[in-house]
Amino acid sequence: MDDCIFCKIVRGEFGTTIVAENEYAVAFDDIAPIAPMHTLVVPRRHIESMAEANAEDLAMLSGCLLLVNDVARVKGIETSGYRAGFNVGPDSGQTVFHLHFHVFGGQRLRDMA
């Protein structure tokens, strides 16, 4: 999508520093982090949210998850631990409607029920 901010970042239009990447996704630091380490993993192909994913997206989704692991290694939190997740829709807190995975770490994260 031409007006999607994450699509623009993926295309290199903002000069955003890429933390890690693979053929399916790119990772960059969140501009409003909520943990000492807060990086986003964004698929190169636009998909609005996980709710729109289907079996044809399996390679892209697994590529994103493998990139989450790469981010943890690059950021030096692979052994201390990290959390990864995604939001689906406005009620979940999704504000950019391009699927993305949040990777959090760098401190002990509080339990979420």
Side-chain angles (χ1 to χ4, degrees):
M1 297 188 68
D2 289 338
D3 60 341
C4 172
I5 186 109
F6 285 173
C7 287
K8 290 178 179 181
I9 291 171
V10 166
R11 291 192 302 261
E13 294 179 17
F14 290 120
T16 303
T17 300
I18 301 301
V19 171
E21 63 183 311
N22 63 26
E23 68 180 287
Y24 299 103
V26 300
F28 51 89
D29 291 329
D30 195 295
I31 62 168
I34 62 170
M37 197 292 301
H38 184 175
T39 300
L40 302 177
V41 171
V42 176
R44 293 182 184 275
R45 183 177 60 78
H46 185 87
I47 180 170
E48 187 170 306
S49 76
M50 185 59 83
E52 294 194 359
N54 59 50
E56 294 174 6
D57 297 314
L58 288 175
M60 177 268 294
L61 292 170
S62 63
C64 287
L65 292 176
L66 292 172
L67 193 57
V68 165
N69 288 340
D70 291 344
V71 166
R73 280 189 288 280
V74 167
K75 294 291 189 166
I77 60 169
E78 74 276 18
T79 57
S80 62
Y82 55 96
R83 179 177 295 150
F86 52 87
N87 299 319
V88 179
D91 284 353
S92 73
Q94 185 179 7
T95 57
V96 177
F97 292 90
H98 181 130
L99 175 64
H100 55 286
F101 296 80
H102 294 264
V103 186
F104 304 104
Q107 70 181 26
R108 186 167 182 84
L109 301 171
R110 70 175 183 84
D111 291 336
M112 298 175 73

